[in-house]
């Protein structure tokens, strides 16, 4: 962790993981709420809070969570790009980026539950169900919704063109676009990790068996309960 390297201490991530997940839950819930209201007039405040959170979280992340480092730096730069942007830009692009944090609202308690799942059967069962709920919300907001807007929504292209004129520098504008679509690529990488996890648990195979069995709903429910809490070690 950066905090250990800078201050020459020996802080254990496991000792602070619970508090970091609680903080993630609060921040993600706040961001999710922002995506449902007109936040444009308060964007500078939103910017300061989120960048401060990302910097704080980076200092406490283990170095092997490289995808988290990339995510935090990428989003922080995109938030900087959003400064002094129009309402149109925020409603078409910034709002979609904020909506991706809906999955983190579920990820945080899921990560907390995994620590209790080893000792408590009820926590283990709940954790397995939350695994599936997290995957569903992740796929909707970070894959389907994000892909639609960044790849097929003409309003997003108009907003990017507007930003290009405002920035008056094609190099900076091109870099911002690269980061925006790299963020989409990062989410597809996380999707690959989630699918790999579910495949190992034979969840996908059991879902297909749903259509071949009169007790399909029973099969799916038990497939969900067959998942363990390691999905949340993906740390998305």
């Amino acid at each position: 962790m950066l905090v250990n390297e800078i201050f020459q201490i020996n802080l254990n991530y496991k000792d602070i993981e619970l508090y970091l997940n609680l903080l993630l839950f609060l921040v993600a819930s706040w961001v999710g709420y922002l995506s449902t209201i007109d936040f444009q007039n308060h964007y500078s405040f939103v910017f300061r809070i989120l960048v401060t959170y990302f910097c704080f979280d980076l200092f406490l992340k283990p170095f092997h969570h490289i995808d988290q480092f990339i995510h935090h730096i990428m989003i922080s730069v995109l938030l900087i790009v959003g400064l002094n942007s129009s309402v149109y830009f925020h409603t078409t692009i910034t709002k979609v980026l904020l909506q991706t944090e809906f999955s983190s609202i579920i990820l945080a308690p899921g990560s907390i539950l995994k620590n209790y799942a080893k000792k408590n059967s009820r926590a283990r069962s709940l954790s397995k169900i939350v695994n599936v709920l997290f995957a569903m919300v992740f796929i909707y907001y970070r894959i389907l919704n994000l892909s639609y807007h960044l790849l097929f929504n003409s309003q997003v292209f108009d907003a990017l063109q507007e930003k290009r004129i405002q920035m008056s520098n094609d190099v900076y504008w091109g870099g911002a676009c690269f980061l925006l679509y790299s963020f989409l690529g990062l989410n597809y990488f996380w999707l690959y990790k989630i699918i790999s996890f579910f495949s190992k648990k034979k969840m996908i195979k059991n879902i297909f068996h749903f259509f071949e069995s009169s007790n399909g709903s029973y099969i799916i429910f038990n497939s969900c309960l067959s998942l363990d809490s390691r999905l949340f070690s993906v740390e998305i």
Side-chain angles (χ1 to χ4, degrees):
M1 294 189 293
L2 284 174
V3 66
N4 288 339
E5 295 296 325
I6 294 174
F7 297 103
Q8 296 299 305
I9 58 177
N10 190 27
L11 184 64
N12 191 326
Y13 180 72
K14 290 294 182 182
D15 294 336
I16 59 175
E17 186 178 15
L18 172 63
Y19 305 104
L20 291 179
N21 280 314
L22 288 174
L23 180 60
L24 171 62
F25 175 77
L26 293 175
V27 172
S29 298
W30 178 63
V31 171
Y33 168 72
L34 286 175
S35 71
T36 66
I37 64 173
D38 294 329
F39 61 89
Q40 297 83 3
N41 294 331
H42 309 287
Y43 182 79
S44 59
F45 173 74
V46 174
F47 164 79
R48 289 194 294 270
I49 294 296
L50 289 181
V51 171
T52 300
Y53 166 73
F54 287 141
C55 291
F56 175 77
D57 197 54
L58 279 177
F59 270 91
L60 299 174
K61 283 289 183 187
F63 288 123
H64 65 270
H65 292 172
I66 185 64
D67 51 348
Q68 287 290 291
F69 279 83
I70 294 173
H71 171 272
H72 287 5
I73 294 172
M74 193 178 294
I75 294 299
S76 294
V77 174
L78 289 174
L79 287 171
I80 294 173
V81 173
L83 289 171
N84 301 316
S85 294
S86 67
V87 172
Y88 187 72
F89 180 90
H90 287 312
T91 55
T92 55
I93 296 180
T94 307
K95 181 177 180 178
V96 175
L97 296 179
L98 295 180
Q99 287 175 338
T100 62
E101 289 306 311
F102 277 119
S103 64
S104 297
I105 297 175
I106 303 175
L107 174 67
S111 298
I112 294 173
L113 280 170
K114 76 175 183 181
N115 295 319
Y116 297 96
K118 299 176 182 178
K119 301 178 181 179
N120 188 298
S121 60
R122 290 186 178 180
R124 184 161 54 250
S125 297
L126 181 59
S127 177
K128 293 166 184 177
I129 294 174
V130 173
N131 276 343
V132 179
L133 180 60
F134 163 73
M136 293 171 62
V137 175
F138 177 93
I139 290 172
Y140 178 77
Y141 282 107
R142 288 184 176 263
I143 301 300
L144 298 179
N145 189 57
L146 189 62
S147 295
Y148 166 73
H149 285 286
L150 295 187
L151 299 177
F152 304 107
N153 190 344
S154 61
Q155 292 182 330
V156 169
F157 303 142
D158 293 339
L160 289 175
Q161 186 60 33
E162 176 189 81
K163 193 65 182 179
R164 181 181 186 180
I165 296 172
Q166 181 192 27
M167 296 179 77
S168 65
N169 188 311
D170 284 350
V171 175
Y172 292 157
W173 178 80
C177 290
F178 175 78
L179 284 178
L180 181 63
Y181 286 91
S182 294
F183 175 66
L184 177 62
L186 178 63
N187 282 285
Y188 272 94
F189 168 71
W190 282 334
L191 175 65
Y192 166 76
K193 294 178 72 172
I194 292 174
I195 292 176
S196 297
F197 175 87
F198 275 75
S199 296
K200 290 178 182 178
K201 292 299 173 181
K202 299 181 180 180
M203 177 64 180
I204 295 177
K205 181 179 179 180
N206 284 331
I207 288 178
F208 281 113
H209 285 171
F210 168 77
F211 297 101
E212 301 174 1
S213 170
S214 58
N215 295 321
S217 58
Y218 175 81
I219 291 176
I220 286 184
F221 180 73
N222 281 277
S223 297
C224 294
L225 294 183
S226 70
L227 296 171
D228 60 39
S229 59
R230 285 177 293 171
L231 175 59
F232 291 98
S233 65
V234 173
E235 292 292 345
I236 297 173

